[in-house]
Amino acid sequence: DLRGIPGLEYEGTDAKRRAIDSRIAREARPGEELTLSIDERLQYIAEEQIADTVKAHDAASGSIIAIDPNTGEILALASYPTYDPNLPPGAGEPPTARQDHAVSVPFEPGSVFKVITLSAALETTNLRPESPINCHGGVLQLPGRTIHDSHLGRGIIPMADVLAYSSNVGAIEVGLRVGQRNMYDYVRRFGFGQRTGIPLPAESPGRFRKLENWGTTSLASVAFGQEISVTTLQLAQAVTAVANGGLLMQPRLILKKGGQNVPPRPPVRILKPETTITMREMMEGVVTYGTGKKAKLDGYTTGGKTGSAQIYDYAAHAYTHTYNGSFVGFAPVMNPRIVVVVTVNGTHGSAGFGGEAAAPAFKVVASEALRLMDVPKDMPDDKPKFLMAKDTPADAPPTDTAARTFNPLDDETEDAGPAAPASAAYSLAAPAPVSAGPLVPNFRGMTLRAVMEEAAAQGLNIMPAGSGVAAVQDPPAGSPLRQGESIRVAFAR
């Protein structure tokens, strides 16, 4: 489009090749001007962050995408390693050196895919965030394989904590409730296994097998992000649907061509609005007290999900201890204005898990995006002192011995570690009870200052919105409050 079409002229010459006549056979047509959605300021930050992150974790490659969930416009798309397209490939340079890792290189997503599993569960089963899920002490026997959680195994916990603490076993239990047909349908709804249609070359559709080709344990695998490959762009599109109220939008890169607006493709509703509100609240728990604490933004409520999928060795037919570390997230929680997805491919050890490698890069890019978009803050910049004690989950195991130390790292695959010992706090024989917190006070009719003073006195976390006096609160007054849960209070005049 930018190049245009060159013109063609026929010229007559004499015997000495001097021009004596000419005729225009085709008029030249100049290229069209293109207006992109990319914000060059945020693009610069994203490129810096993914380069620094890949180098810091001795990874092979990485990518970052920042997208406006309300319009589908891509504000930044960065891939590393990069190259100069003006130079031809050097001697011995592999083709992979010039791949767009955000669009063209699929990978197993790991536990970020639990967002899809739980979204399907909210719409196809009677499971709710508080529904008890048996995590079997962190180990589950399946036909021909054993699934482990990478952290110390848990017993019976709420479904919200399955997401927050990224339990593979818990996600499988949820997936079994959803069923094969529903799981397959919702994965396709979210756009996986198909191209988004972005106008960039070599976009990969990823890999998602047809239902008739699933094996005995495929449902369990898909539930926590195995037996499927996705691109960073597909993850961004999927999380955008959670952030904007349930609409799957085609990612937009070209806004205008030749001075004319390029109309977007109409969005498709894939989730109920109430489902997305519940999912955003559970994803907030991932950042507040779960595996994604390093993604928490200063001054903004934040939701997200970590992922640390082991890379499969097709030659050895086994999973390795090299990881794809990723983080998907958005902010603010109640009205998301930005979605950022970070993927770091080929990391090593626990330092390469999504919560360690990708979450900090999300924090930098999302913070800069909100600043550039001039989005008002919805949280105090500094954490109040009375919230410091909530950093540790109420049901965290004792830390008197190494065997009982809680490891809040990510999820991942079935050979992530041994099962918890029978004497551990979360063994199948003695599952941890779901502890009930204090009852939610009645804030209706109180001023913001009075609400914050009352909350501080009781050690409660308040998420205020609006101005005037308290009109609506969630959870409602008298409800038991889970450890680390925030109370949303809307003020009106």
Side-chain angles (χ1 to χ4, degrees):
D1 293 327
L2 291 171
R3 184 181 296 116
I5 299 176
L8 180 64
E9 181 183 38
Y10 291 108
E11 189 174 71
T13 64
D14 61 15
K16 296 184 177 181
R17 303 195 66 80
R18 291 176 295 193
I20 58 175
D21 185 29
S22 64
R23 174 172 58 88
I24 301 295
R26 184 179 64 211
E27 294 286 348
R29 192 176 75 186
E32 293 183 302
E33 184 179 270
L34 298 179
T35 302
L36 303 185
S37 60
I38 295 292
D39 185 310
E40 61 182 330
R41 301 165 297 177
L42 191 60
Q43 177 73 18
Y44 176 79
I45 296 296
E47 290 185 2
E48 271 198 332
Q49 279 301 305
I50 195 59
D52 291 347
T53 299
V54 169
K55 293 173 185 176
H57 293 275
D58 193 26
S61 60
S63 57
I64 293 179
I65 291 181
I67 187 170
D68 184 334
N70 299 305
T71 64
E73 295 175 9
I74 297 175
L75 305 181
L77 190 155
S79 174
Y80 186 87
T82 186
Y83 62 93
D84 186 345
N86 294 301
L87 302 177
E93 179 180 314
T96 55
R98 299 198 170 214
Q99 288 179 321
D100 183 345
H101 291 275
V103 174
S104 304
V105 184
F107 56 93
E108 277 195 344
S111 286
V112 294
F113 215 70
K114 291 168 185 171
V115 172
I116 313 302
T117 302
L118 268 65
S119 295
L122 290 173
E123 297 214 329
T124 63
T125 74
N126 60 357
L127 292 173
R128 307 302 304 160
E130 64 275 10
S131 299
I133 303 296
N134 191 349
C135 295
H136 300 284
V139 59
L140 182 64
Q141 297 289 341
L142 294 176
R145 59 194 293 213
T146 302
I147 306 295
H148 291 110
D149 285 338
S150 65
H151 52 67
L152 184 61
R154 296 172 179 271
I156 298 176
I157 61 176
M159 187 172 73
D161 287 355
V162 169
L163 190 72
Y165 298 128
S166 202
S167 170
N168 292 337
V169 176
I172 292 173
E173 288 289 348
V174 173
L176 293 175
R177 295 276 292 272
V178 173
Q180 282 193 350
R181 170 51 65 182
N182 286 333
M183 181 66 74
Y184 178 85
D185 289 344
Y186 272 82
V187 172
R188 295 289 294 182
R189 279 192 190 196
F190 274 94
F192 296 106
Q194 51 200 313
R195 294 178 178 87
T196 67
I198 191 172
L200 289 174
E203 182 187 5
S204 171
R207 183 171 181 267
F208 183 51
R209 293 182 298 170
K210 294 181 178 180
L211 190 58
E212 55 265 28
N213 296 326
W214 283 25
T216 305
T217 62
S218 291
L219 175 58
S221 296
V222 171
F224 67 102
Q226 287 188 351
E227 291 193 28
I228 182 172
S229 63
V230 307
T231 64
T232 304
L233 181 63
Q234 287 175 326
L235 287 176
Q237 182 185 40
V239 177
T240 292
V242 176
N244 68 19
L247 298 175
L248 189 71
M249 309 184 74
Q250 182 183 35
R252 298 192 68 197
L253 187 61
I254 298 177
L255 301 183
K256 292 183 179 180
K257 181 187 290 189
Q260 300 296 316
N261 291 331
V262 176
R265 189 168 68 187
V268 178
R269 176 161 296 284
I270 63 170
L271 294 174
K272 300 174 184 176
E274 54 268 31
T275 300
T276 64
I277 293 173
T278 304
M279 279 306 306
R280 293 202 297 263
E281 291 174 346
M282 288 195 289
M283 293 173 74
E284 183 181 13
V286 173
V287 177
T288 303
Y289 63 92
T291 59
K293 292 179 184 177
K294 291 190 176 181
K296 184 174 176 58
L297 305 182
D298 297 329
Y300 296 96
T301 53
T302 316
K305 183 68 190 81
T306 54
S308 315
Q310 288 176 287
I311 295 177
Y312 190 77
D313 186 337
Y314 286 93
H317 300 286
Y319 282 96
T320 68
H321 290 285
T322 305
Y323 300 91
N324 292 316
S326 55
F327 187 87
V328 301
F330 49 80
V333 171
M334 296 186 72
N335 183 25
R337 297 289 305 280
I338 190 69
V339 166
V340 177
V341 178
V342 181
T343 301
V344 189
N345 307 107
T347 61
H348 312 281
S350 60
F353 285 3
E356 297 293 314
F362 163 86
K363 179 175 181 177
V364 173
V365 175
S367 296
E368 186 67 14
L370 294 168
R371 185 187 70 82
L372 293 173
M373 298 168 74
D374 198 24
V375 177
K377 294 183 176 181
D378 64 344
M379 284 285 285
D381 282 329
D382 298 319
K383 181 183 290 186
K385 292 182 179 179
F386 65 83
L387 288 182
M388 299 302 288
K390 292 179 180 282
D391 280 353
T392 303
D395 59 344
T399 57
D400 53 336
T401 65
R404 288 170 175 254
T405 301
F406 171 66
N407 179 4
L409 294 174
D410 218 358
D411 42 297
E412 313 330 70
T413 57
E414 70 254 29
D415 58 348
S423 59
Y426 301 107
S427 67
L428 179 59
V434 180
S435 57
L439 298 182
V440 178
N442 185 2
F443 294 120
R444 288 176 63 88
M446 298 172 61
T447 64
L448 174 60
R449 180 173 181 177
V451 168
M452 298 306 291
E453 288 178 349
E454 177 69 17
Q458 298 190 37
L460 304 176
N461 186 18
I462 300 297
M463 296 176 56
S467 59
V469 297
V472 180
Q473 64 181 71
D474 181 40
S479 302
L481 196 65
R482 294 197 306 270
Q483 185 73 21
E485 185 178 13
S486 300
I487 303 174
R488 304 176 191 276
V489 182
F491 294 83
R493 297 186 180 278

